[in-house]
Amino acid sequence: MSNDKVKDSALFDKIVANISKNGPLSLDSYISHALGDPDYGYYHSRDPFGTSGDFITAPEISGLFGEMCGLYLAHIAELSGLREPAIFELGPGRASLILDMRHAWQQVMPTLVTAPLHLLETSPRLRCIQQDLLSGVNFFFHENLDHLPAQPIFAIANEFFDALPVSQAILRQNANDGGGIWRHRLVGLLNGQLGFIDGPPLSPEEVSDWALEILQTEETDPLPSSVINNHTIAEYCPLAVTYAGKIAHHLRAYGGACLIIDYGRDGQSGGSLQAVANHQPVDVFYQPGSADLSHWVDFSAIRRAAEGAGARLVGPITQGEFLRNIGIIQRSEALAKMADVETRRGLFAAVDRLVSNQHMGSAFKVALMLPPGAGLPPGFTTCSEGAALS
Ligand code: SAH
């Protein structure tokens, strides 16, 4: 047996022992174990990025992505007129994005390079990689968002929210009157294997937090009421709501902005939880700790959390639209003029991957969290504030 196999079955055994002792787990607790177990969790035991890992994120595709995000945040920082801001990144991965942003700031706004840098990262393995790559930089690691610095923050979260543990509920309809109740979907043991089992009904507060009344009544929602039927699955990411609320609270108190980029929708996506191991889709219970588990981000839940804490969320718009709005095509054409044929080809292929609808352009969305105010910031002028986007 390979070392990885031993580790994978070790986490399975640990989770099974936990369920046998304490009963079924909520889905988000199961995902927390699978991704974050200190010994065998997916993010703790491997580097998931790049061609040898399970996924390639936008900053890993091209340095141009980080450069454009850096130039954009510098412009927003300049417009805000705020002094002594801090920089904050949620889930820095291999630190490619922050390094590319700092490179851009060096040219246009060196004060952002010397500003203190705060990183939310829980994986010891990725912290080591980030520490090496950021040697000489004044930065601080955070385990959660409880100790943000008392100053304005300009923040970015790329493919962070999709990696947070999500919960699910399932609609069980009553055959007699068609009425139904939402039940938690828990993780239990079925013939010695991990599987979904029905849990208790959602409380009225949970139905409201998950916005399930909206799901059942709004025709314009990405999951319109016409497709709500027996066994429909709904998702809710408690940590996303907590983190969005904390950032919003901070922005309201001190000012700044937070750019959020992720695949998702402006509403529920239903059962979007997916598992990927070795570039292949696998069952969500496949060898816990060896597969990446992620879900489609519900930007409407992030907006509700932002508004609940007195801030606002502009967008989402598609990544393709956002990057075009902020000039990625013009920038790539300018770079291409100075490049040899092969580099130019690589550059245009990377831009296509980032903006075209066949690749990341439409599945990925971009939103900007801001302190309360009115009007649309640059980059989002094509969006109607709070418009639904599926
Ligand atoms: N932003 C990077 C990496 C995205 S992967 C990029 O675009 O390439 C998700 C990142 O979030 C990883 O760094 C992972 O370790 C971190 N992460 C995942 N769950 C987290 C949690 N609960 N708290 C803090 N960081 C987390």
Side-chain angles (χ1 to χ4, degrees):
M1 224 190 244
S2 77
N3 255 351
D4 271 356
K5 271 255 153 54
V6 173
K7 279 188 189 170
D8 295 340
S9 50
L11 185 52
F12 174 83
D13 292 347
K14 201 167 164 179
I15 292 173
V16 167
N18 184 337
I19 294 175
S20 307
K21 185 161 168 239
N22 305 314
L25 289 171
S26 64
L27 180 59
D28 61 312
S29 317
Y30 167 76
I31 297 172
S32 298
H33 286 295
L35 297 181
D37 182 90
D39 300 314
Y40 313 115
Y42 180 78
Y43 279 108
H44 291 234
S45 56
R46 59 195 84 209
D47 171 6
F49 300 96
T51 41
S52 58
D54 288 322
F55 48 87
I56 302 180
T57 55
E60 305 287 336
I61 290 173
S62 169
L64 197 51
F65 179 81
E67 181 184 324
M68 297 309 297
C69 291
L71 293 174
Y72 180 74
L73 274 187
H75 186 47
I76 295 293
E78 190 178 24
L79 290 176
S80 78
L82 292 165
R83 295 168 69 89
E84 299 196 11
I87 304 299
F88 181 50
E89 183 176 7
L90 295 90
R94 274 195 189 163
S96 310
L97 178 57
I98 191 66
L99 288 168
D100 292 332
M101 295 204 307
R102 289 171 62 82
H103 189 69
W105 294 336
Q106 195 74 62
Q107 320 296 320
V108 298
M109 209 187 229
T111 49
L112 295 184
V113 179
T114 48
L117 172 63
H118 296 263
L119 304 174
L120 174 65
E121 179 60 75
T122 43
S123 157
R125 183 139 180 178
L126 288 172
R127 278 188 179 198
C128 279
I129 296 176
Q130 293 153 12
Q131 207 147 11
D132 281 353
L133 290 164
L134 291 166
S135 71
V137 177
N138 174 23
F139 77 95
F140 309 88
F141 279 128
H142 293 248
E143 191 72 26
N144 52 45
L145 294 187
D146 293 345
H147 303 286
L148 285 175
Q151 62 195 121
I153 50 167
F154 290 94
I156 190 160
N158 184 59
E159 288 205 47
F160 169 74
F161 283 99
D162 69 80
L164 298 178
V166 72
S167 301
Q168 289 185 342
I170 188 161
L171 185 64
R172 294 300 185 196
Q173 269 175 339
N174 177 334
N176 298 331
D177 61 6
I181 48 169
W182 291 96
R183 289 188 171 277
H184 284 280
R185 260 189 131 195
L186 304 181
V187 178
L189 292 175
L190 304 166
N191 301 323
Q193 295 303 312
L194 296 168
F196 283 117
I197 57 169
D198 278 16
L202 269 66
S203 68
E205 294 74 37
E206 285 171 327
V207 170
S208 153
D209 287 349
W210 292 46
L212 294 179
E213 332 78 319
I214 298 174
L215 190 61
Q216 277 166 299
T217 53
E218 263 192 20
E219 283 295 340
T220 52
D221 194 88
L223 268 186
S225 54
S226 54
V227 304
I228 301 290
N229 51 34
N230 208 1
H231 316 314
T232 293
I233 291 169
E235 286 179 343
Y236 179 75
C237 183
L239 206 50
V241 169
T242 303
Y243 283 171
K246 288 194 174 176
I247 297 167
H249 195 264
H250 195 89
L251 294 177
R252 185 186 159 81
Y254 300 99
C258 180
L259 192 61
I260 300 171
I261 308 160
D262 228 309
Y263 45 93
R265 291 203 168 118
D266 200 15
Q268 278 276 346
S269 296
S272 75
L273 178 65
Q274 58 189 19
V276 174
N278 303 317
H279 298 281
Q280 298 295 325
V282 291
D283 186 82
V284 293
F285 298 116
Y286 170 84
Q287 296 180 353
S290 65
D292 174 43
L293 294 170
S294 67
H295 68 280
W296 279 54
V297 171
D298 177 355
F299 282 88
S300 70
I302 294 183
R303 178 182 309 108
R304 288 194 299 277
E307 291 174 354
R312 63 181 178 134
L313 190 80
V314 180
I317 58 175
T318 67
Q319 175 170 299
E321 199 178 355
F322 176 74
L323 290 174
R324 282 196 181 92
N325 287 351
I326 66 171
I328 197 168
I329 305 296
Q330 293 83 338
R331 179 72 184 132
S332 62
E333 282 165 357
L335 288 171
K337 287 201 182 105
M338 300 178 281
D340 59 51
V341 177
E342 203 174 319
T343 313
R344 195 178 311 151
R345 200 175 292 142
L347 185 65
F348 288 144
V351 171
D352 183 62
R353 224 169 137 185
L354 294 172
V355 304
S356 77
N357 290 347
Q358 294 86 332
H359 297 288
M360 300 175 81
S362 67
F364 279 73
K365 309 289 188 301
V366 183
L368 188 69
M369 199 188 288
L370 290 169
L376 294 170
F380 289 88
T381 43
T382 50
C383 124
S384 57
E385 225 164 327
L389 178 75
S390 61

